Amino acid sequence: MDLSALAAAGTATWDLYLRLRFRDGASPEVTAHARTGEGLLRRRALPSARHGVLLVQPYATHSGALALRTAPGPRGVTTVVRGRIRRLLH
């Protein structure tokens, strides 16, 4: 998956789907389900040639589907840090 392409939209949330391709030509689209457990859905700061840094947070939706939050570049980092500080202070 090209995370930089997702990040081009700015700070966003994405639901992840998979397209399965079978030998008979069928290719259904299915929802990716999150596997929960120690360290499986942890936040990451990744280097990005396009944005400098890309913050990525996979998470399980209420229904168990896998979703992804992205925050690209310094502006994205600032937004995430401000939100975290605001939650800590209130």
Side-chain angles (χ1 to χ4, degrees):
M1 175 186 301
D2 182 9
L3 294 176
S4 290
L6 290 179
T11 302
T13 302
W14 304 90
D15 292 330
L16 301 181
Y17 294 90
L18 304 171
R19 181 171 302 278
L20 304 175
R21 295 192 181 169
F22 296 100
R23 288 184 189 153
D24 67 0
S27 59
E29 190 173 274
V30 297
T31 302
H33 285 271
R35 290 187 59 193
T36 58
E38 188 71 32
L40 292 176
L41 297 176
R42 71 175 179 231
R43 299 171 181 146
R44 299 175 194 265
L46 304 171
S48 169
R50 185 176 188 176
H51 304 288
V53 66
L54 175 61
L55 300 181
V56 178
Q57 180 186 13
Y59 67 99
T61 65
H62 181 69
S63 64
L66 180 61
L68 188 69
R69 290 183 184 107
T70 59
R75 178 178 272 171
V77 171
T78 302
T79 301
V80 170
V81 170
R82 276 188 197 148
R84 175 149 302 189
I85 290 170
R86 187 172 47 248
R87 285 188 299 277
L88 287 171
L89 296 176
H90 290 113

